Amino acid sequence: GVEVKVTHCGLCGSDVHLWRADGDYKDFTGWAAGQKVQICGHEAVGEVTAVGSAVTHLKVGQRCGVGWQCGSCHSCEYCLRGDEQLCQAGNGVDCTCAGGNAGAFADYLRIKDAGFAFALPDALDAAATAPLLCGGQTVWTPLRQQTKAGDRVGVLGLGGLGTMAITFASKLGCEVTALSSSDSKKRAALDLGATKFVAHADEAQMAAAACSLDFILVTLATQQKVDFS
């Protein structure tokens, strides 16, 4: 395992859901695990203060980051192919601030599986890096696995996830179309790397964009029906 003195931690939407015990999140809170508190925080950057005897990739005094996931079996078919986030063995994915684990809104964070603590270059800005450990990873994985340079990629929803997705997709060589409900975020989307912008509440713009995308990454949360035709 590894112990980290936390210097920075991002605030993710999942933290808010856990704190509020929203919907199915209530089953994964500290309260559900019989604890008196729910300690959130899973976009952590800090300094390693202790490591287990089997840890070789980190040393005391080194800077590292820990995201949403803090453990897996490392032996199921998903882990062996590098998709630890899909781990199916035992209890499956171990989460940094859920299921009874104490998260990083604290002075120190401890995780049992040091494989999910990642060394960070000193040149990286800690405050800017922290959100990449959950939000960034969330959009990076589908873009890296399911798109390629030259693909026409749409990003629906321009909050924290969407803005990171636009940046990543453009840097990966994709032609990015940003989709948002209005033109209010058009300038920001283009500045981040989008080459086109569609206000999806505008029927004319949507009709003009029909059949123009190879892949759509949806970063918004809604219970409303979305027509992707």
Side-chain angles (χ1 to χ4, degrees):
V2 62
E3 179 185 81
V4 181
K5 182 179 181 181
V6 180
T7 61
H8 299 76
C9 187
L11 175 63
C12 175
S14 296
D15 291 312
V16 178
H17 289 306
L18 283 167
W19 175 65
R20 291 176 174 172
D22 290 338
D24 292 340
Y25 278 87
K26 68 179 184 299
D27 298 326
F28 300 97
T29 63
W31 303 302
Q35 300 178 359
K36 294 183 179 179
V37 295
Q38 164 61 43
I39 302 176
C40 296
H42 58 273
E43 296 178 339
V45 173
E47 179 182 322
V48 176
T49 51
V51 296
S53 59
V55 178
T56 58
H57 70 293
L58 294 171
K59 60 184 180 181
V60 172
Q62 190 172 3
R63 194 167 66 147
C64 76
V66 178
W68 171 259
Q69 186 171 359
C70 68
S72 73
C73 76
H74 297 288
S75 60
C76 71
E77 62 173 304
Y78 298 102
C79 288
L80 291 175
R81 73 185 191 194
D83 287 326
E84 293 92 345
Q85 76 275 13
L86 302 177
C87 179
Q88 298 294 305
N91 293 325
V93 171
D94 196 14
C95 299
T96 301
C97 66
N101 292 328
F105 290 152
D107 294 328
Y108 290 86
L109 172 68
R110 289 178 177 176
I111 63 172
K112 296 178 181 178
D113 189 340
F116 290 90
F118 304 96
L120 298 177
D122 291 335
L124 290 179
D125 177 84
T129 300
L132 299 178
L133 295 164
C134 180
Q137 175 271 331
T138 298
V139 296
W140 169 258
T141 299
L143 289 171
R144 189 69 180 85
Q145 292 184 349
Q146 301 180 51
T147 70
K148 62 184 184 300
D151 280 356
R152 301 169 299 174
V153 172
V155 177
L156 175 60
L158 303 184
L161 295 179
T163 54
M164 286 189 278
I166 290 173
T167 302
F168 291 161
S170 64
K171 297 299 184 183
L172 288 169
C174 300
E175 179 184 307
V176 183
T177 297
L179 299 103
S180 189
S181 58
S182 72
D183 288 331
S184 63
K185 297 181 180 179
K186 180 176 181 177
R187 184 70 265 163
L190 296 176
D191 289 344
L192 288 167
T195 56
K196 299 179 181 178
F197 185 94
V198 175
H200 61 74
D202 186 317
E203 293 185 4
Q205 290 189 41
M206 288 292 286
C211 302
S212 65
L213 300 174
D214 303 306
F215 180 88
I216 300 177
L217 182 59
V218 180
T219 69
L220 51 79
T222 180
Q223 293 182 340
Q224 296 181 359
K225 182 178 179 181
V226 180
D227 184 1
F228 293 108
S229 60

